Amino acid sequence: MTIVLKLPPRHGGLRRTAAFTLLAVDVVTLIGASAAPTPLYELYQSQWGFTPLESTLVFGIYAASLLLALLTTGSLSDYIGRRPVLLTALAFEAASMIAFASADGIGLLLVARVVQGFATGAAISVLGAALIDLERTPGRGATVNSIAAPMGLALGAIGSSLISEHLPRPTSTVFLVFVALFALEIVGVCAIPETAVRRPGALASVRPTLAVPAGALHMLLRAGPCLIAVWALGGFYLSLGPSLARTTLGVHSSLTGAITVATLTGTGAVAVFLLRAAAPHQILSVGAAALAAGVATTLAGAETTSSVTLLAGTAVAGVGFGAGFQGTIHTVMPLAQPHERAGLLSSIYMIAYLANSVPALIAGYFVGRIGLIDTARIYGGVVIALAGIGFGTALLPHGRESAEPGARRKRSRV
């Protein structure tokens, strides 16, 4: 059964355009908060004796908690509504920021990351689905969702670095800023239109499962190698990127790592915007090719300790980062019915965050065994290989199922 929902001009206090904008800001803020600890790892290392493995553990436990949320709450908003799930998630996100600000060691920091990961995981699928629900132009919601995520990573990393270097209490001030932002967003979400029709099955929907409509499964598998390469690279930059930049360039400042992360994610956001009108398979092709070329150039910069080469490679890889994720979203999401969107988006994020966390944790272990540069060489080679596979699958002929939104309604549960 297909559920079609027509919203009145005002429902919940905000017009659809204003609500759409607010939800896009929510995505930026949530993802920005997830990147805020990255520039602080050097401070944590000097104050608490952080090791590279502990840095990747703090990053990885966030991703694990986020994955648990996607498995259990990813489809919940399809049953009880977008607004209740989002309000609860934002409240927990604000609580995690308070825990970050209060942390005086790795214990509370890990607790904060667990709460943050679960809150972010509960929020991102409902935000993506709600953006598509509220879009006035087909494809705009997916495009904005694809732009907002890398933009949030860039702004979160740069903002955290600037605040930590120029304001008092460097390990807590940035998180108090986010507490204020999330409080304002909770007020705003109370006024957005509700875009999902309540229906039975909410309790059953929280059983750990991946929900992929049958018509989207084939395309998700084809886009998978590029999706994995994109988020594996993102995980490396967010956990070990600052250390690589400081080691390569010999500059010991949190801003160095933040600029590296912002270069990757910022050019990703620009790429999403510039490629928004291109065909999905073309976006995937560009993303995979740029990812392979950019990582190879970045590795060359690390070998030669050239800041120009390192940043240039990161910028090219950033194009792949943005385009690879955008191509996946535009290829797969149109194949879902409205009541399947949150569940499908959760499955996409599930793959993304597994790729984001597991390789980074493995890399953190090997840094202590073979060193950062050798680890980066191996990691980069794997990403290049996956990007090459992704490029090949993007060039394969695309059948009708990728062009007919919601062509198949039967749901596959994996």
Side-chain angles (χ1 to χ4, degrees), residues 150-402:
M151 184 183 296
L153 290 172
L155 292 176
I158 289 291
S160 176
S161 177
L162 291 174
I163 289 173
S164 68
E165 290 204 350
H166 298 291
L167 292 179
R169 299 173 59 85
T171 59
S172 60
T173 302
V174 62
F175 300 113
L176 295 177
V177 171
F178 275 110
V179 170
L181 291 174
F182 287 126
L184 291 173
E185 289 174 4
I186 287 172
V187 174
V189 169
C190 289
I192 67 170
E194 178 54 71
T195 60
V197 175
R198 287 177 178 265
R199 58 195 179 101
L203 188 60
S205 75
V206 299
R207 291 180 304 181
T209 183
L210 294 180
V212 180
L217 180 59
H218 176 63
M219 294 307 301
L220 181 58
L221 292 174
R222 290 177 63 167
C226 188
L227 179 66
I228 292 170
V230 162
W231 284 95
L233 182 65
F236 185 88
Y237 268 84
L238 287 169
S239 58
L240 295 172
S243 297
L244 179 64
R246 288 192 298 270
T247 300
T248 301
L249 306 180
V251 179
H252 295 280
S253 167
S254 65
L255 192 58
T256 303
I259 288 174
T260 306
V261 172
T263 300
L264 178 82
T265 57
T267 53
V270 172
V272 170
F273 178 77
L274 294 178
L275 294 169
R276 65 192 185 281
H281 71 279
Q282 292 175 334
I283 301 174
L284 274 176
S285 299
V286 170
L291 201 63
V295 171
T297 304
T298 301
L299 290 175
E303 296 285 350
T304 60
T305 65
S306 168
S307 59
V308 174
T309 305
L310 183 72
L311 288 176
T314 300
V316 175
V319 173
F321 181 81
F325 187 52
Q326 179 192 23
T328 301
I329 295 293
H330 278 275
T331 301
V332 178
M333 284 303 292
L335 302 174
Q337 294 292 312
H339 62 284
E340 299 170 327
R341 288 170 182 162
L344 176 57
L345 195 60
S346 293
S347 298
I348 293 173
Y349 275 116
M350 188 76 179
I351 297 169
Y353 276 93
L354 278 173
N356 198 234
S357 58
V358 174
L361 281 170
I362 295 172
Y365 171 80
F366 277 104
V367 166
R369 298 294 184 273
I370 63 176
L372 182 59
I373 300 300
D374 284 340
T375 301
R377 291 189 188 113
I378 297 171
Y379 201 105
V382 173
V383 170
I384 290 171
L386 285 170
I389 296 172
F391 183 77
T393 59
L395 294 180
L396 293 174
H398 288 252
R400 291 179 59 195
E401 67 176 293
S402 64

Side-chain angles (χ1 to χ4, degrees), residues 75-161:
S75 300
L76 186 60
S77 73
D78 288 335
Y79 295 88
I80 69 171
R82 313 294 191 208
R83 195 162 46 191
V85 177
L86 185 53
L87 284 171
T88 304
L90 289 174
F92 275 95
E93 189 79 22
S96 75
M97 296 296 103
I98 295 173
F100 273 116
S102 306
D104 56 1
I106 191 170
L108 190 53
L109 195 64
L110 290 174
V111 171
R113 282 299 256 178
V114 168
V115 176
Q116 183 189 36
F118 197 88
T120 305
I124 55 176
S125 58
V126 62
L127 282 168
L131 284 169
I132 295 173
D133 293 341
L134 290 167
E135 67 185 11
R136 292 189 180 278
T137 304
R140 186 170 178 236
T143 298
V144 169
N145 193 53
S146 299
I147 292 175
M151 184 183 296
L153 290 172
L155 292 176
I158 289 291
S160 176
S161 177

